[in-house]
Every structure is written in C-alpha cells, then in structure tokens.
Amino acid sequence: MTATDPALTALAQGWCALSALHGRIEAHIERALQAKHDLSVREYSLLDVLSRQHDGEGGHLQMKQVADAVVLSQSATTRLVTRLENRGLLERYLCPTDRRGIYTNVTEAGLRLLEEARPTNDAALREALDEASRNPELVPLVRAVESLNVPA
C-alpha cells in the first residue's frame, strides 16, 4: 500500500469525518453545560461515571479505571477529581479493605448537579446530532451513533 492508495485515503477521510463529528458534538455540549451548570464535558463525564459506582463486588473504580472511562490520563483525571473535590462535588476516602487504595464518591451536591445537568447534556447531544445530520458526509456516522445500544 502506498500513501495514495484509495483504501488508505477512504480510511483517512472516514477518520476525519468521525473526528469532526466528535468535535462538533463535544463543543456543543460543552457550551450548554458551561452556560447552564458551570460544568465542562469532562467534569460532567466524571460525575456521571462515578455516580454509577455501587457497594457490590467490583463496584468502586480505581483511578486508572476512572481515567479510562473519561478518556483522560491518570494525572489529568487526578487533577479533575481534585478540582471537583474542591467544589464539594466529590469526596475521596480510603478503601476499607486495602488502606493503600483511595476511592472517590460523588457527594449529595454532586449528585444534585448531575441530575440538573443531565437533561442539558441529553438535549445538547440531540441538537448536535440533528445539526450534524444535515451534513451528508456525517449522516452515516450520526445513524451509527443513534443505533448504538451500549449499556451505561
């Protein structure tokens, strides 16, 4: 295969379209969450991921798992946790069975903010997808996103 191979060109164009769709959606949601709730997309995602923890087996996430879930490095995730902890939205505590482990929970204030922000996030996502579907190049990707049935 060469750099001018049609298969590589099509692959690169597909990747560019996917990247453009992601960027448009994230920017649209970011503006909505910032304007109405003073939250970034990453902050919202972190609150959402941590709110799904439970007390059962494997119910609490280690920082690496949290970082993977919000698609950030561990150091960026730690800084994000600290920022939300300083706002009173998260709290850290020692793992009761392994004193070396530190877990993070969403506080009551964090849960309230998340519930207030969820309709904004969902509406902004719908708006961004509707807007993107007006671009013929993005229609197949929008349909793919809409057809996904991924468990939370």
Side-chain angles (χ1 to χ4, degrees), residues 23-142:
R24 288 177 182 196
I25 290 170
E26 188 169 61
H28 191 82
I29 294 172
E30 180 83 24
R31 285 189 299 273
L33 288 172
Q34 282 289 344
K36 294 182 179 178
H37 307 285
D38 193 29
L39 277 176
S40 71
V41 168
R42 297 289 186 215
E43 291 167 338
Y44 175 87
S45 295
L46 181 64
L47 288 172
D48 184 53
V49 165
L50 291 174
S51 75
R52 297 173 193 277
Q53 296 183 115
H54 57 83
D55 289 330
E57 178 83 21
H60 288 275
L61 301 173
Q62 297 173 347
M63 196 56 70
K64 176 166 182 7
Q65 294 169 303
V66 174
D68 289 346
V70 296
V71 194
L72 289 173
S73 68
Q74 276 189 261
S75 61
T77 302
T78 299
R79 288 190 302 274
L80 184 58
V81 166
T82 299
R83 206 165 50 241
L84 292 178
E85 186 178 34
N86 290 341
R87 288 177 59 185
L89 303 175
L90 297 178
E91 59 189 3
R92 295 181 219 207
Y93 66 95
L94 290 175
C95 171
T97 58
D98 179 359
R99 304 299 280 176
R100 295 170 296 172
I102 298 175
Y103 291 132
T104 305
N105 270 344
V106 182
T107 63
E108 288 300 319
L111 290 172
R112 279 192 307 275
L113 181 58
L114 179 62
E115 288 310 307
E116 292 168 7
R118 194 177 308 279
T120 302
N121 180 79
D122 295 348
L125 174 58
R126 180 72 267 158
E127 291 165 4
L129 288 170
D130 289 347
E131 184 178 310
S133 69
R134 291 193 279 278
N135 180 333
E137 293 176 357
L138 299 179
V139 168
L141 295 172
V142 170

Side-chain angles (χ1 to χ4, degrees), residues 7-26:
L8 288 178
T9 302
L11 188 62
Q13 289 172 338
W15 168 244
C16 286
L18 180 59
S19 181
L21 178 61
H22 176 268
R24 288 177 182 196
I25 290 170
E26 188 169 61

